Amino acid sequence: MSERARLSGWTIILLTLALLPLYLHSARWIDFLEMTLFVAVLGQGWNILGGYGGQYSFGNALLFGTGAYIQALLQFKFGISPWIAMWFAIAGVVAVGAMVGFLSFRYGLRGSYFALITLAFAEAFLVLSRSLKSITEGGSGVQLALNQDPAQAIATFQFNFAGPFLKEYGFYYTIFTILLVTYAITWWMERSRFGAQLVAVRENEDAALALGINTFKVKLGAICLSSAITASCGVYYVQKFLFIEPGIAFGPSKSVEALFAPIIGGLGTVVGPLLGSVFIHGVGEATKMTIGQALGGRPGVDLILFGTILILVLAFLPRGLVGLVEAVWKRLSGGRDA
Amino acid sequence: MLEVQGINKSFGGLHAVSDASLFVPAGKVVSLIGPNGAGKTTLFALISGFLRPDSGTVIFDGTDITGKAPHLICQMGLVRTFQVVKPFASLTVRENIAVGAHTRIADRKAALAKADGVALLVGMDAMLEQSAGDLTIAGRKRLELARALATEPKLLLLDEVMAGLNATEIAELVPVIRTIRDTGVTILLIEHVMQAVMSLSDYTYVLNQGVMIAEGEPKTVTSSPDVIEAYLGHGAAERLAKMEARDA
Amino acid sequence: MELLGFSLPSYGWSTIFGSTISGVFLGSIYALVAVGLTLIYGVLHIINFAHGALLMLAMYAVYFLWNILGIDPYLAMLIVVPGGFAFGYGLQRFIIGKASHGKDEITLLVTLGVAIVIENMALFFFSATERSVRVPYDLDGIDLGVTYAVYPELAALVGSFLITLALWAFMTRTDTGKAIRAVSKERQGAQLVGINVDHIFAVTFGIGVACVAAAASLLVPTYAVHPQIGSLFVLIAFTVVVLGGMGSFVGALVGGFLIGVTEQLGRLYLGESLGVITISVIFIFVLLFRPTGLFGVKAG
Ligand SMILES: Nc1ncnc2c1ncn2[C@@H]1O[C@H](COP(=O)(O)OP(=O)(O)O)[C@@H](O)[C@H]1O
Ligand SMILES: [Mg+2]
């Protein structure tokens, strides 16, 4: 696909995302869109390191959870403004990510070993967040006070009692903005020296080294960027739900959600995580609406579906849905525009 | 340009390189020959920082680079290619070469433009959009050369870039390497293709079982009995001499 | 004892000894779960994320055999072990092997997908309810002085040794075992001498699942079955395998005991919830500083 086709595609996608909720007017559908964009951002955080850099993390919950906890605890314990807390959250997560990256890459952990160590760190933080009650409030989690004063809505980063527009759309446009920023960064990265070197590391680390790339530094840079993006998801989550507990923060489900979207959508592409997230949430919602009733609302159906989609994509679409879309596009444009 | 002094490397009990020394003067093409398993690739790895020598020193452009990290050595202007080619398979030829170009050039557009120039020089300009994974062996060898060249090296180490190529492809590549030398790049090459060694190199070293057994002008070296024995086995030089005497 | 501002409680020897003994029993269960995992890693070089889910599935099988047909959980081994083998063989041959295109990272993701599907199927069909098997002898046992050991614990301990021994004998004494070892050492070489590598991979995976099915039989009398039970064990099993050295049976056995004892002592000194941090700490340190583990040959 040419750069121009890509840009027009993005214009259409972003305009749709910007305007769609205004026409939906339904709290349920706006919630659905919010969660879709949330996972799209979470997935981009994974995609930077996993898709572009080839380092598959199985523990991105470590980054999400650390961000969420810093955001929650700074407000809960010290009454710090959420707008200030978020910078500490991002910085804190980058520090944690850099530490894990430094240790893993310094000791040359690749492939399965890198996956295992990220998993181990997430598990360690899960245990710590449950047991260090004096710091984290333990297993019962942190509940933030609900602001009921409309005048304080923006100052408290809470839109539940805000004026008419913010109340309805505040969180949607928050996650939409986060998506815009993180996807713009990824778009820029893809077209930069750093991005080219990161992909080179993924494709062949020895060749990258021979061509003068400091592969350690490049991987470390990628994990820091990945951390910052994932941290923003933690911040968003806490502001939206005003609650965080160890299982949500550091349990395996966020780690898994983070890798589903980019793998299904298309690894190492800007649009992949968004496409993947829209697809799995769309399929999940469609299932609920059609056969959900017949199944009696039992839990597990959507994850059975997502797991199956994951396996099928791995088996038949090595480049994910993006690869499929590009193949179709090539067909339609008569193979002129590869 | 490059001076290797008494370098040693063993893997377990195997002495892959023993007390080897060589000297590459600026602006020349020097070749390193020797039978399979002689330790040539290992010597390249020692020079380029991929392996740390047990003892000995590597001096490049007046600086001791022994044991330095490979990417730093490359940034100083010494780049190697791999005998077993390592393309960035899912990238295009242009993108592959641009990775090399980025070592000196931060800007993406400028790096891609530089890639186009290098591709033209090595005769890959028609394949720029092709995926590196789809290239033939000859194409991959050329790409290996192009990527290294894009880092703007002072010294280029080429590890068997002619191996696996047919006569036509070899005949095409020889002038390319000559052109690269003419642009001022010093070259040290490992080669089995004698025709290329003879026509390209100003000086030749012979490595056998990790030991430098001969050096000199390519013609003189390749006709020395020691070298012939190293390649063809014990007693070969004598037999060859007898055969020549009989033919004459 | 004072350590970094934390004051550790001090206990008498009999308490410490009691914890150690219960750690050994716990460790035998870890070893049981880990031995199949290490076999699969040793040969296929894949980390099987579905291992815990397969354990859970086998535990449900044992539970239903007891609940519906009244079959004793230990006797059920005669059914679930061959069943596990067949299931594992099919899973590797027709799903994991096919979907992963021979790439390690993809295999990791495929087994993760399989784990998610199996776990959520269990949740869907069996609900999150905990189900326990009560055997008439589950509270009988012997008094060891410092602690009391029930028969199911003793059975697990003996079982872990027997299974490891059986696996070792199988790998060294039978033709299939030798073929498996040949494939694990030299994939391409084995193919050249006419060994069907896909078949051997599937057989290995099947044996790994058969081991986990045997473990399930030994676990059911002491552990309640629910869809999450596998994920509780899987991380510990990874730790055991990494600590023992990926691919080493003896390593899995020794690693299991080490982790079991460490965990129990951790609980004793650091408290119930923080005590399990010892496992993650061991995991991280071994991965970073000794990825070959105690008995491993080379890092993958
Ligand atoms: N990383 C290594 N570990 C063990 N032995 C090695 C390693 N690399 C090379 N060797 C051995 O060192 C010797 C020299 O190999 P190499 O340098 O590749 O020879 P050449 O390039 O001259 O054919 C060979 O016997 C080879 O098997
Ligand atoms: Mg060689």
Side-chain angles (χ1 to χ4, degrees), chain C residues 40-216:
Chain C
I40 293 172
Y41 183 84
V43 179
L44 282 74
H45 300 285
I46 62 172
I47 291 170
N48 178 22
F49 261 94
H51 205 70
L54 292 165
L55 172 73
M56 177 266 297
L57 207 59
M59 286 176 77
Y60 270 106
V62 175
Y63 171 82
F64 284 115
L65 285 171
W66 170 80
N67 183 267
I68 297 169
L69 300 175
I71 296 175
D72 181 277
Y74 294 112
L75 221 52
M77 226 185 261
L78 294 174
I79 301 167
V80 294
V81 167
F85 175 82
F87 190 83
Y89 185 96
L91 188 63
Q92 164 63 26
R93 188 94 199 238
F94 303 113
I95 297 180
I96 300 176
K98 289 260 190 293
S100 48
H101 308 288
K103 290 187 191 137
D104 288 359
E105 309 90 60
I106 309 285
T107 315
L108 206 64
L109 293 169
V110 174
T111 59
L112 177 71
V114 169
I116 290 169
V117 171
I118 293 179
E119 243 168 52
N120 287 281
M121 283 209 169
L123 183 64
F124 180 80
F125 288 111
F126 309 140
S127 82
T129 317
E130 292 198 3
R131 296 159 204 260
S132 330
V133 168
R134 299 299 310 264
V135 287
Y137 44 82
D138 64 354
L139 293 177
D140 299 343
I142 45 176
D143 195 350
L144 297 175
V146 285
T147 185
Y148 183 81
V150 294
Y151 285 135
E153 285 180 323
L154 291 168
L157 182 63
V158 174
S160 65
F161 278 98
L162 288 182
I163 290 175
T164 311
L165 196 68
L167 260 184
W168 175 80
F170 174 80
M171 293 295 274
T172 49
R173 297 292 147 86
T174 66
D175 286 346
T176 313
K178 282 173 193 159
I180 290 176
R181 277 172 39 211
V183 170
S184 80
K185 285 210 190 71
E186 252 314 322
R187 220 174 268 196
Q188 265 145 11
Q191 204 139 24
L192 286 178
V193 299
I195 296 175
N196 180 346
V197 172
D198 286 343
H199 171 71
I200 291 293
F201 276 2
V203 167
T204 309
F205 203 95
I207 295 172
V209 179
C211 288
V212 99

Side-chain angles (χ1 to χ4, degrees), chain A residues 50-69:
Chain A
Y52 287 96
Q55 316 294 317
Y56 289 7
S57 156
F58 275 55
N60 263 29
L62 169 73
L63 308 172
F64 168 81
T66 306
Y69 262 103

Side-chain angles (χ1 to χ4, degrees), chain A residues 106-190:
Chain A
R106 177 60 49 195
Y107 290 97
L109 298 189
R110 296 183 195 185
S112 312
Y113 283 87
F114 181 71
L116 285 181
I117 198 139
T118 51
L119 190 69
F121 271 106
E123 178 70 13
F125 273 54
L126 175 65
V127 173
L128 289 176
S129 64
R130 278 202 181 122
S131 13
L132 301 180
K133 286 203 176 62
S134 57
I135 303 173
T136 64
E137 305 297 309
S140 49
V142 185
Q143 177 86 53
L144 293 183
L146 180 66
N147 165 55
Q148 307 200 11
D149 176 6
Q152 292 292 310
I154 291 188
T156 56
F157 205 152
Q158 291 186 23
F159 303 130
N160 318 60
F161 286 85
F165 182 83
L166 268 189
K167 183 178 157 65
E168 216 177 334
Y169 300 111
F171 280 115
Y172 179 80
Y173 285 106
T174 304
I175 193 69
F176 180 66
T177 308
I178 296 176
L179 180 121
L180 272 184
V181 173
T182 53
Y183 276 55
I185 291 172
T186 315
W187 170 278
W188 159 83
M189 185 198 81
E190 202 181 76

Side-chain angles (χ1 to χ4, degrees), chain A:
Chain A
M1 234 176 264
S2 71
E3 197 77 349
R4 246 187 71 199
R6 263 170 226 253
L7 273 173
S8 357
W10 273 111
T11 314
I12 295 170
I13 291 173
L14 294 177
L15 275 178
T16 311
L17 289 178
L19 301 176
L20 192 60
L22 300 177
Y23 294 95
L24 284 174
H25 271 310
S26 137
R28 189 175 114 73
W29 278 110
I30 290 170
D31 257 355
F32 167 80
L33 282 181
E34 278 174 21
M35 278 303 108
T36 305
L37 298 196
F38 170 80
V39 171
V41 176
L42 195 67
Q44 196 66 280
W46 191 91
N47 191 35
I48 300 269
L49 186 65
Y52 287 96
Q55 316 294 317
Y56 289 7
S57 156
F58 275 55
N60 263 29
L62 169 73
L63 308 172
F64 168 81
T66 306
Y69 262 103
I70 294 176
Q71 179 75 6
L73 288 171
L74 286 182
Q75 294 179 74
F76 182 81
K77 294 219 159 179
F78 307 106
I80 291 175
S81 153
W83 297 100
I84 294 171
M86 62 190 259
W87 300 108
F88 284 97
I90 291 172
V93 175
V94 170
V96 168
M99 175 201 64
V100 172
F102 181 87
L103 289 173
S104 315
F105 303 141
R106 177 60 49 195
Y107 290 97
L109 298 189
R110 296 183 195 185
S112 312
Y113 283 87
F114 181 71
L116 285 181
I117 198 139
T118 51
L119 190 69
F121 271 106
E123 178 70 13
F125 273 54
L126 175 65
V127 173
L128 289 176
S129 64
R130 278 202 181 122
S131 13
L132 301 180
K133 286 203 176 62
S134 57
I135 303 173
T136 64
E137 305 297 309
S140 49
V142 185
Q143 177 86 53
L144 293 183
L146 180 66
N147 165 55
Q148 307 200 11
D149 176 6
Q152 292 292 310
I154 291 188
T156 56
F157 205 152
Q158 291 186 23
F159 303 130
N160 318 60
F161 286 85
F165 182 83
L166 268 189
K167 183 178 157 65
E168 216 177 334
Y169 300 111
F171 280 115
Y172 179 80
Y173 285 106
T174 304
I175 193 69
F176 180 66
T177 308
I178 296 176
L179 180 121
L180 272 184
V181 173
T182 53
Y183 276 55
I185 291 172
T186 315
W187 170 278
W188 159 83
M189 185 198 81
E190 202 181 76
R191 285 151 184 77
S192 72
R193 161 153 84 174
F194 172 70
Q197 295 188 330
L198 184 59
V199 170
V201 168
R202 172 191 76 196
E203 293 289 307
N204 194 307
E205 205 162 331
D206 277 341
L209 264 177
L211 294 174
I213 297 173
N214 185 344
T215 54
F216 174 71
K217 220 167 101 182
V218 167
K219 286 192 276 186
L220 208 56
I223 204 171
C224 287
L225 189 52
S226 200
S227 300
I229 293 176
T230 310
S232 72
C233 292
V235 169
Y236 172 80
Y237 189 96
V238 163
Q239 291 313 127
K240 172 146 171 94
F241 296 103
L242 301 175
F243 177 67
I244 193 70
E245 57 94 19
I248 295 174
F250 299 110
S253 68
K254 286 288 173 295
S255 299
V256 169
E257 272 176 51
L259 59 82
F260 261 141
I263 292 172
I264 290 171
L267 283 172
T269 61
V270 184
V271 76
L274 177 61
L275 202 60
S277 180
V278 168
F279 183 74
I280 54 179
H281 285 93
V283 169
E285 202 60 29
T287 318
K288 256 188 236 157
M289 282 179 3
T290 51
I291 55 171
Q293 230 65 40
L295 300 174
R298 284 209 226 168
V301 181
D302 44 356
L303 278 167
I304 296 174
L305 215 60
F306 297 169
T308 312
I309 293 173
L310 179 73
I311 298 171
L312 289 176
V313 167
L314 290 169
F316 301 110
L317 294 176
R319 295 181 54 235
L321 295 173
V322 169
L324 190 67
V325 170
E326 279 185 358
V328 171
W329 174 267
K330 208 169 168 179
R331 262 257 171 93
L332 290 180
S333 61
R336 273 171 288 125
D337 188 340

